[in-house]
Amino acid sequence: MTPPDLRGFHGIDIGGSKIELVAFDAQMGEVHRERIATPGHDFQEFVQAIAAIVRRADAVLGAAAPVGIGLPGVVDSLTGRQLSSNVPALNGRLVTPALEEALHRPVVIGNDCQCFALSEAQGGAADGLPTMFGAILGTGAGGGYCSRGRLHRGFNGVAGEWGHWAAPAHLLSLYKLPVIACPCGRAGCMERYVSGPGMSMLHRHFGGDGAAPMVVAARANTGDAIAAKTLSAHLDLLAHAMSSLVLALDPHAIVLGGGLSQLPHLYKQLPEAIKRHLFAGAQVPPILPPRFGDAGGARGAALLVHQHLKMSAP
């Protein structure tokens, strides 16, 4: 492997349907962006697609830049194999070594939620704060914790996976909610209730049609009782999870990401709802919208490889 060319960095955000690469110069200014479809079922085709999109970005940047990748799922800390990815071709594979061999340069893979947090900690909504937590609320629920602009991944690389905390029994009982199986192999995980699909599930549970979150919110604004009950229960469950984050990490800000971060009522009502789940004297940190939105994943991936190279430098 050749030494990294630090005249720039490539950040790649990988999802089940699309791959987005954003190339940045050494000052993290965007110079190139490209999206392609994700080859989801053939590993060699996936590696070749990454190699091709990176070569095109190299040509624009004028440098064979190191590559950071944001990817759903986790890497097994013992074997290095990818787990729980929404790209079937990657599950059980040694993705990082395969890409480093194809690209002849350093490749660092991180969880996409952690990349979001890192992007918002450096130049984003929480820029300059001593600590922050980025909480994703989309098709799932996850996040990342940053201190002084640096992402902390933890022993297993899963720090910030609050979506797989257990939903509290007293709230499941209060709203007569079932204990729902989670794809992670456990049951009753918080993301089954507070993610986008979770909100739709709540709407069905209370007698609605399982509408998408934006539709539920719009109906609640017109006085729809079932939609209003859905938002109230969702807010209570989410507030409990965020209060646990405050007690565990005490971040100076929580930045929301994912599709549900576009719901205005969260920024108005969530702080007071969190406070109800905290003991007296504990204050709720600012709840902030993301600065980079959909661009955060690729930007955070580029920052992740930059952080990795900086930490590993002699």
Side-chain angles (χ1 to χ4, degrees):
M1 188 186 306
T2 58
D5 188 332
L6 301 184
R7 288 179 292 169
F9 302 90
H10 298 323
I12 302 178
D13 186 24
I14 298 177
S17 60
K18 59 87 179 172
I19 294 171
E20 180 174 47
L21 180 148
V22 182
F24 300 89
D25 60 23
Q27 289 73 44
M28 288 303 296
E30 182 180 327
V31 297
H32 173 72
R33 180 185 294 262
E34 182 180 355
R35 283 191 179 192
I36 60 173
T38 302
H41 298 280
D42 186 300
F43 184 64
Q44 290 307 316
E45 186 181 354
F46 172 85
V47 171
Q48 292 166 7
I50 294 292
I53 196 174
V54 168
R55 283 196 298 270
R56 291 192 290 272
D58 285 347
V60 175
L61 186 62
V67 175
I69 295 175
L71 184 66
V74 298
V75 174
D76 187 306
S77 60
L78 292 178
T79 67
R81 296 183 184 276
Q82 185 70 33
L83 304 174
S84 304
S85 173
N86 63 349
V87 182
L90 306 188
N91 285 318
R93 295 283 189 170
L94 295 168
V95 181
T96 301
L99 290 176
E100 288 188 330
E101 181 179 356
L103 297 171
H104 307 291
R105 72 191 77 184
V107 174
V108 178
I109 293 179
N111 178 270
D112 56 342
C113 297
Q114 293 178 343
C115 289
F116 162 79
L118 184 57
S119 181
E120 292 298 329
Q122 291 192 32
D127 185 57
L129 294 179
T131 64
M132 64 82 69
F133 192 89
I136 291 283
L137 287 164
T139 54
Y145 179 69
C146 296
S147 173
R148 302 195 183 281
R150 176 186 165 192
L151 178 68
H152 292 270
R153 303 177 72 182
F155 178 68
N156 289 290
V158 299
E161 285 285 0
W162 67 274
H164 294 284
W165 292 351
H170 72 283
L171 290 183
L172 295 185
S173 176
L174 176 64
Y175 297 111
K176 298 180 173 57
L177 293 168
V179 178
I180 303 172
C182 181
C184 78
R186 301 168 68 237
C189 289
M190 186 62 76
E191 78 168 20
R192 296 296 93 193
Y193 306 91
V194 300
S195 63
M199 183 183 286
S200 297
M201 179 279 298
L202 291 174
H203 192 245
R204 284 193 300 273
H205 174 76
F206 293 128
D209 57 5
M214 295 300 172
V215 175
V216 173
R219 291 177 182 174
N221 288 335
T222 64
D224 184 298
I226 292 176
K229 186 173 183 179
T230 299
L231 291 191
S232 178
H234 178 268
L235 186 73
D236 202 11
L237 287 156
L238 179 59
H240 185 278
M242 295 295 101
S243 72
S244 298
L245 277 173
V246 172
L247 293 175
L249 299 173
D250 202 15
H252 289 76
I254 297 173
V255 182
L256 301 183
L260 270 63
S261 70
Q262 301 175 40
L263 293 172
H265 79 276
L266 291 182
Y267 303 100
K268 298 175 183 177
Q269 300 176 24
L270 188 55
E272 187 60 34
I274 293 172
K275 191 171 185 178
R276 290 195 292 270
H277 289 283
L278 292 172
F279 52 72
Q283 300 302 309
V284 179
I287 308 297
L288 305 174
R291 180 169 296 173
F292 292 107
D294 291 342
R299 184 176 183 274
L303 289 167
L304 182 65
V305 70
H306 180 270
Q307 174 180 304
H308 174 81
L309 293 173
K310 185 177 181 181
M311 290 176 61
S312 59

